[in-house]
Amino acid sequence: MARAIEHIRYLVDIVGYRPPTSEGERWASRYIQGVFKKLGLDLQVEPFYSHRTFSYPYMIIFGVSILGGLLFGSHPVLGFLLSALAAAAFYLENTCRGHVSRMLPRDPSQNVVARIPAAGEARRRVVVCAHYDTSRTGASFHPRLVKGLRRAFLFTILSVMGMPLFILLGAMFWSGLFGLLRTLAVLWLAVNFLLLLHREVYGKNVHGANDNGSGTGVLLALAESLTADPLANTEVWLAATGCEEAGMVGMLAFLERHEVELRDAFIVNLDNLGAGSLKYITGEGMLQVCPSDPELLMLSAEVCRENPDLPLGPHEYRTMPTDAYAALVKGFRALSVMAFDADGVIPNWHWETDVIANLDERNLLQAERFVTLLLKKIDAEK
């Protein structure tokens, strides 16, 4: 059986860059299909359509908000309406209900889903998922700046969501104070707009060894071990999702397609496992925090307590959304497993240093062991 690191080497060294809807993403999906077929698994390739990047929806939203702020002096009502529209669109986009992204041109992508039946009577269902697409660099992800990404996003929230309030209160009461706040919000959003534009024009594709070759490699290693030794009473689905880096589009398509089948299932998401300290995520979300499934959290804590040699602990993740967040915000039972450096940042995140040389194979083995023990815990539940 191949180890996770061998799958990652193929994805990084042979397939290469795998941005959303790209030819590289399609080749990666074919490799995953090949692994599942070799194991004799029940396999489905589920097509969907997606926009190519998360930058464009937010550039549009920030642009509309900036325009609303600039129009305040000459057309205050129009300025307020535009800024309110941008605030609503920002909230919806951040909670996986965005309409701006759906209006963008879309290209084909695919999820790859395999099923491992229970050895006996199937009484429950678990989905283990990992996205296999990759991102690109951007100034916000520079190693010297990425630590401040969460704080920067808080200012962005205040600017977008506060803009209509600044305009309204400026018109009604203290025009000087709220005019200053409106000006600062416009300037901050202009900086965000330019950073996203710079990312799309000058950003470079990353190898994605950690994000998320690591999660995909562990997923494929689990496919091999679970095929050889299936769970007694639990059917396991393995979902390799595309276009996560465009806004969890693949996961949203997967959940929509299988909503009835997965309503009571557990979903365990594997993302960025290859470097840093492994954690199980207690809650996630940039704007709206969604707690992870309580039963999965309880079982994860039990696994760690019973296996003190496993270096995992709880962690709340508030920086950027994952496939698990897409599931949680839609009401599914989910939990992510991830790894972070000492500052709580994903190592080599969306940067050119996200290469195989910067992975720790021990992390991959420990993540695979943790998920295996978690699955056995779930299987043993009455």
Side-chain angles (χ1 to χ4, degrees):
M1 295 294 184
R3 297 177 300 169
I5 192 69
E6 294 168 358
H7 295 300
I8 300 169
R9 286 197 181 100
Y10 190 96
L11 291 170
V12 173
D13 294 339
I14 305 300
V15 175
Y17 307 128
R18 310 177 299 280
T21 75
S22 68
E23 187 63 23
E25 189 192 54
R26 283 187 285 278
W27 277 110
S29 79
R30 290 168 189 157
Y31 173 72
I32 296 165
Q33 292 171 50
V35 174
F36 288 160
K37 287 178 181 177
K38 187 176 180 179
L39 295 170
L41 298 179
D42 177 15
L43 167 68
Q44 291 181 323
V45 179
E46 301 177 350
F48 62 90
Y49 284 84
S50 172
H51 54 288
R52 295 186 175 187
T53 173
F54 68 80
S55 295
Y56 294 147
Y58 287 100
M59 288 172 66
I60 292 171
I61 292 169
F62 296 158
V64 172
S65 186
I66 291 168
L67 181 60
L70 293 176
L71 285 175
F72 169 73
S74 57
H75 300 84
V77 175
L78 179 59
F80 171 78
L81 292 175
L82 286 174
S83 63
L85 178 64
F90 182 76
Y91 175 80
L92 292 172
E93 204 70 40
N94 271 278
T95 54
C96 300
R97 291 169 284 191
H99 296 281
V100 176
S101 56
R102 296 176 190 173
M103 295 187 292
L104 296 174
R106 298 187 297 168
D107 294 295
S109 183
Q110 58 286 308
N111 296 323
V112 184
V113 182
R115 308 187 191 200
I116 302 176
E121 179 187 358
R123 295 199 294 261
R124 60 189 62 83
R125 181 173 291 144
V126 178
V127 178
V128 183
C129 62
H131 77 88
Y132 60 91
D133 60 311
T134 57
S135 187
R136 61 195 300 147
T137 61
S140 299
F141 295 95
H142 189 283
R144 289 197 296 268
L145 299 177
V146 70
K147 296 178 185 178
L149 194 57
R150 174 62 188 168
R151 290 190 296 273
F153 183 73
L154 292 176
F155 282 113
T156 303
I157 295 173
L158 179 62
S159 298
V160 178
M161 305 301 283
M163 186 75 79
L165 187 63
F166 300 154
I167 291 175
L168 182 63
L169 294 179
M172 295 174 61
F173 301 108
W174 305 288
S175 58
L177 172 62
F178 289 105
L180 175 62
L181 291 174
R182 174 175 48 82
T183 300
L184 293 175
V186 166
L187 291 174
W188 180 256
L189 293 178
V191 169
N192 278 265
F193 182 96
L194 292 174
L195 286 172
L196 291 174
L197 179 62
H198 181 273
R199 176 179 183 268
E200 293 307 312
V201 175
Y202 297 106
K204 298 178 180 179
N205 285 316
V206 300
H207 292 88
N210 190 37
D211 187 11
N212 188 32
S214 62
T216 307
V218 172
L219 179 78
L220 296 176
L222 285 166
E224 294 165 341
S225 62
L226 289 169
T227 301
D229 184 20
L231 299 176
N233 302 113
T234 304
E235 180 186 54
V236 178
W237 290 20
L238 304 166
T241 59
C243 294
E244 190 267 358
E245 298 291 359
M248 298 82 67
V249 184
M251 174 55 80
L252 292 169
F254 172 70
L255 296 173
E256 183 177 0
R257 182 185 293 258
H258 299 287
E259 182 174 4
V260 175
E261 297 167 280
L262 300 181
R263 183 48 63 185
D264 296 321
F266 289 125
I267 299 174
V268 180
N269 176 52
L270 310 178
D271 203 343
N272 287 282
L273 303 171
S277 299
L278 288 165
K279 305 289 184 182
Y280 59 88
I281 305 304
T282 58
E284 53 184 288
M286 298 175 72
L287 186 60
Q288 173 186 338
V289 182
C290 292
S292 300
D293 180 76
E295 190 170 351
L296 282 175
L297 287 173
M298 178 190 70
L299 295 175
S300 296
E302 287 182 8
V303 169
C304 294
R305 186 168 58 251
E306 294 169 4
N307 300 272
D309 58 314
L310 271 176
L312 275 88
H315 180 81
E316 185 177 73
Y317 182 55
R318 299 291 307 278
T319 309
M320 288 193 79
T322 71
D323 275 349
Y325 175 73
L328 290 168
V329 82
K330 296 292 185 180
F332 292 88
R333 308 177 69 181
L335 173 142
S336 283
V337 183
M338 304 177 70
F340 306 90
D341 65 16
D343 296 311
V345 177
I346 295 169
N348 306 299
W349 193 22
H350 292 184
W351 205 247
E352 296 166 82
T353 52
D354 188 7
V355 295
I356 289 178
N358 288 327
L359 297 184
D360 185 344
E361 190 172 354
R362 292 172 298 177
N363 263 41
L364 305 174
L365 295 172
Q366 289 164 349
E368 182 183 350
R369 183 178 167 220
F370 170 77
V371 176
T372 300
L373 292 172
L374 178 59
L375 292 176
K376 289 182 177 179
K377 274 280 184 188
I378 294 169
D379 190 53
E381 287 290 291
K382 300 296 184 181

